[in-house]
Amino acid sequence: MIIMIFGAVFMLAVSIFIHELGHLLCGKLVGVEARIFSLGYGKGIWKKRIGKTIYQITAIPIGGYVLFRGDDYSKNKKPKQGDLLATPPLRRMIPVLGGPFANLVLGFILLFILELSGDSPSSNRIFIEDANKVASPAYFAGLRTGDLILSVNGKPTESFEDIFTNVSLTSGDPIQVTYKRNEEIKTVEIVPNLYSAGGHPTIGVMPYGERRVVATFTYGEQISHFMANVLDKEDKSSHYFQEKIEERKTEIPEELLKQHEIAEREKSLRRRALSFLKDGDMILTVAGVDVHTVPELQTELGKHQGKTIPVEVERKTYPLLTPWATEKVTIQIPVLGANVFEFWNIEHPKFPELAIPYFRLDSYDAEIENRLSNLKIQNQVFETADSLSAYLKTNSGKKEIWIGNMKYFADVNLKPIGLLGFRASMKFEAEKLQKDSTVYSSLVGAGSKVYENVSTTLKGIGMLFSGLLSPKENLSGPIGIVQIAGISLEYGWVTYLDFVAKISLALMVMNLLPIPMADGGHIVLYAYEAITGRPLPRKAIEAIFRLGFFFLIGLGLYVSFNDVMRIF
């Protein structure tokens, strides 16, 4: 944890410091004098004047800032030589552009170092999980695990990053995908799914490589479990509140009762899992069987419903200090039984176009009773998951089903699974491309990556404004960036430096956007002054900056709120 926090803080500090250093050096280039150059924010604990500039280090050396002399439009006084506003507007743009340019240089240098050190992107080989193939447009188009995707809409895809980028930036129209299998090359048409969990178009493929399931708990769940073990080991508080709710059940709206029931069920599952597992535990084997994905884990646990079995995990030895020191631990865990109700090859008797390849209901779904209220099988209704489970144990196969007022025929199946109660995430090591690196190839490779990152960011911003990408799912603030930086450091220095490079390039793009208060907003004002021969009225500039300030504050609060909700 500590090393992860350090890595995140270092990343932000370097990216912002380099940005401000670019402003300072380019200011000196055109004769604009800086009053203060600060490493960090707040009161300086070390200061030294060199020329007309005070250089300082603050108690919180995260990022920094440069304060140019005479850069305030609100002060109604005549600029002096060396002031920012005394410099002609076109030359004035150079110090402003210096910050984004420095971020560009930092991103390029880091990517060049990674290219030169032999870092390779993930290969263009794909993985389609068996349990998710029914929701994969690529699978229905004929692609399978192990295929190499060569191009998307004619654009070569040498790595999985190319595949992800080219698909994500489509508008949902059919795309042409060329792939290779056993030396045979084919081209198919695929319609991307626009309603993916990530909020971007997808064809339902993942990078090829080694996968492991990781037990994940939010900080809120961990703190709650710790406090409960200290203050309320027997969970008397939950029983007390449940009794009070039962006493006043008729007075409480049904919707609130349902929300409480769902919350208590989730809380019970997490508390149960936290009694055996810790955040970050990586599942290796279940009852001696190697498992790699969540469906594999659930299927294997389903063979041991209601039993206590050995689960081998790789656990962080010192989670508060470092994510890299681990040990293998075997834990005896009771398996919570559950069922999946599967509906295959769903067909409408009159309209073939209404066919659905697959549909499932989960017995552990908090909304299962509501979902069952719209379902009939052979004219039988089921009020609970247990009643449907009992029916399907002896009556699986081709059945007449009703979903609402629509009649279908489907192959109905009961699949037993097992749960441990944790929220699963994946640890993944992608298959890498093999390549030889030279100075020239590294320069070309770094330049190509810079172009790809910048163009992808710009296209992504356009898709956010057009509504094709979800802001909630695709925007992160400082909290989210810090969390991702820590995770990237856990994967190793190569992944971490690659993330720092991408953040630096993203800072360049974001600062160049024509937003008041940002560098791009200043450039627009200076361009207007250069064209018209006079600046905007002082009150207009103040109003624009005030609008930009509230916009940035609002955006920061929005993305930070989403970041916090993801963590807790």
Side-chain angles (χ1 to χ4, degrees):
M1 177 65 73
I2 292 176
I3 193 69
M4 291 170 69
I5 293 174
F6 169 78
V9 170
F10 178 77
M11 179 269 298
L12 288 174
V14 169
S15 297
I16 299 174
F17 172 73
I18 290 295
H19 180 90
E20 299 302 331
L21 183 63
H23 284 314
L24 176 71
L25 296 178
C26 287
K28 289 181 177 294
L29 186 66
V30 296
V32 176
E33 297 176 359
R35 290 195 287 124
I36 299 175
F37 179 81
S38 177
L39 176 58
Y41 298 97
K43 188 177 180 180
I45 58 175
W46 176 87
K47 296 182 180 181
K48 183 175 180 62
R49 179 181 289 274
I50 300 177
K52 296 182 180 180
T53 304
I54 297 175
Y55 296 85
Q56 68 176 25
I57 299 175
T58 69
I60 309 175
I62 300 175
Y65 65 91
V66 58
L67 190 60
F68 286 116
R69 201 180 75 187
D71 65 346
D72 194 347
Y73 281 100
S74 64
K75 293 182 179 179
N76 195 9
K77 63 178 183 179
K78 187 176 180 180
K80 300 183 296 184
Q81 185 177 2
D83 286 1
L84 180 67
L85 297 181
T87 308
L90 291 180
R91 292 184 65 191
R92 202 185 304 159
M93 291 182 184
I94 295 176
V96 177
L97 290 170
F101 178 73
N103 283 129
L104 174 64
V105 172
L106 174 63
F108 177 83
I109 290 174
L110 290 177
L111 292 174
F112 170 72
I113 292 172
L114 291 176
E115 286 280 321
L116 195 60
S117 65
D119 174 48
S120 300
S122 56
S123 73
N124 55 353
R125 192 183 301 274
I126 62 168
F127 172 79
I128 303 175
E129 194 170 287
D130 284 343
N132 295 332
K133 63 186 180 184
V134 292
S136 169
Y139 184 88
F140 283 104
L143 275 71
R144 297 292 184 267
T145 293
D147 289 347
L148 296 168
I149 293 185
L150 304 179
S151 69
V152 174
N153 281 342
K155 296 180 180 178
T157 52
E158 297 180 355
S159 68
F160 190 84
E161 286 80 359
D162 295 336
I163 300 171
F164 177 83
T165 299
N166 290 338
V167 174
S168 295
L169 296 178
T170 61
S171 59
D173 295 328
I175 59 176
Q176 302 297 318
V177 175
T178 301
Y179 69 96
K180 180 179 180 181
R181 182 192 304 162
N182 298 329
E183 304 305 319
E184 184 179 2
I185 297 176
K186 294 182 178 180
T187 299
V188 294
E189 184 177 87
I190 303 177
V191 180
N193 178 9
L194 285 176
Y195 303 101
S196 67
H200 53 76
T202 177
I203 58 173
V205 299
M206 293 181 283
Y208 196 85
E210 178 71 13
R211 287 170 163 76
R212 289 291 183 181
V213 181
V214 177
T216 305
F217 304 96
T218 66
Y219 291 123
E221 289 165 350
Q222 295 176 67
I223 293 170
S224 176
H225 179 71
F226 173 78
M227 295 301 294
N229 281 341
V230 173
L231 304 174
D232 188 18
K233 288 186 178 181
E234 298 179 4
D235 201 19
K236 292 182 179 179
S237 60
S238 294
H239 294 302
Y240 172 79
F241 284 115
Q242 189 60 39
E243 289 174 0
K244 292 300 179 184
I245 287 173
E246 289 295 329
E247 291 174 5
R248 304 185 60 183
K249 195 171 184 178
T250 56
E251 305 173 23
I252 304 173
E254 185 178 346
E255 184 178 345
L256 292 179
L257 286 174
K258 190 67 178 178
Q259 290 176 358
H260 174 76
E261 181 185 343
I262 293 171
E264 284 300 310
R265 189 180 303 179
E266 288 293 318
K267 179 182 175 183
S268 176
L269 279 173
R270 302 294 178 261
R271 185 168 183 175
R272 179 184 187 276
L274 277 164
S275 299
F276 304 98
L277 299 167
K278 295 183 179 181
D279 182 59
D281 281 355
M282 186 166 66
I283 310 296
L284 302 178
T285 64
V286 171
V289 178
D290 207 27
V291 292
H292 295 270
T293 65
V294 173
E296 283 182 12
L297 173 64
Q298 291 183 340
T299 300
E300 197 58 40
L301 290 172
K303 300 175 183 178
H304 309 280
Q305 289 187 347
K307 300 178 182 177
T308 298
I309 60 172
V311 176
E312 185 183 28
V313 304
E314 186 174 295
R315 176 170 292 173
K316 296 172 185 176
T317 312
Y318 308 106
L320 293 178
L321 296 175
T322 170
W324 301 305
T326 61
E327 60 181 344
K328 290 184 178 180
V329 179
T330 300
I331 311 153
Q332 298 293 326
I333 305 180
V335 178
L336 183 64
N339 291 301
V340 175
F341 311 119
E342 298 183 317
F343 301 82
W344 294 89
N345 304 317
I346 305 170
E347 299 174 350
H348 192 279
K350 294 183 178 179
F351 303 103
E353 62 271 16
L354 295 180
I356 305 171
Y358 178 78
F359 178 73
R360 64 179 276 178
L361 294 172
D362 301 315
S363 66
Y364 56 89
D365 183 357
E367 296 289 336
I368 184 63
E369 292 178 5
N370 289 339
R371 303 189 197 286
L372 289 178
S373 65
N374 291 317
L375 175 71
K376 287 194 297 185
I377 302 178
Q378 299 292 124
N379 285 322
Q380 291 194 42
V381 296
F382 307 93
E383 295 184 357
T384 65
D386 289 340
S387 64
L388 180 56
S389 297
Y391 174 82
L392 291 180
K393 282 180 180 177
T394 56
N395 292 280
S396 60
K398 193 77 171 181
K399 302 292 178 183
E400 176 188 276
I401 67 172
W402 288 79
I403 302 175
N405 60 356
M406 298 286 287
K407 178 182 175 181
Y408 295 91
F409 289 94
D411 294 317
V412 187
N413 179 54
L414 177 70
K415 179 182 177 181
I417 63 169
L419 305 174
L420 299 181
F422 61 83
R423 187 181 292 103
S425 62
M426 297 298 299
K427 182 148 188 190
F428 170 67
E429 292 185 14
E431 176 186 75
K432 295 289 187 178
L433 294 172
Q434 300 298 321
K435 65 176 185 178
D436 296 324
S437 298
T438 64
V439 173
Y440 176 75
S441 68
S442 299
L443 287 170
V444 173
S448 176
K449 284 187 175 180
V450 167
Y451 173 78
E452 289 173 5
N453 275 280
V454 172
S455 61
T456 301
T457 302
L458 291 173
K459 290 178 183 177
I461 291 171
M463 295 179 74
L464 284 170
F465 280 103
S466 67
L468 290 174
L469 289 182
S470 165
K472 183 178 179 180
E473 299 291 341
N474 292 279
L475 289 180
S476 285
I479 297 173
I481 291 173
V482 165
Q483 184 185 28
I484 298 170
I487 294 172
S488 68
L489 184 58
E490 182 176 350
Y491 275 81
W493 287 103
V494 169
T495 305
Y496 174 71
L497 291 178
D498 181 71
F499 181 71
V500 175
K502 289 177 179 177
I503 286 295
S504 186
L505 294 172
L507 279 174
M508 178 197 74
V509 174
M510 296 304 294
N511 271 282
L512 288 175
L513 294 178
I515 301 171
M517 298 288 293
D519 294 334
H522 286 87
I523 291 171
V524 171
L525 290 177
Y526 299 158
Y528 172 86
E529 185 177 344
I531 294 169
T532 63
R534 63 181 186 278
L536 279 172
R538 182 164 58 89
K539 289 186 177 180
I541 293 175
E542 290 177 0
I544 291 172
F545 279 5
R546 194 176 295 115
L547 180 65
F549 173 77
F550 285 116
F551 170 78
L552 293 175
I553 289 294
L555 180 62
L557 291 174
Y558 172 77
V559 295
S560 296
F561 174 78
N562 288 333
D563 289 341
V564 171
M565 293 305 293
R566 292 188 193 108
I567 295 173
F568 289 94

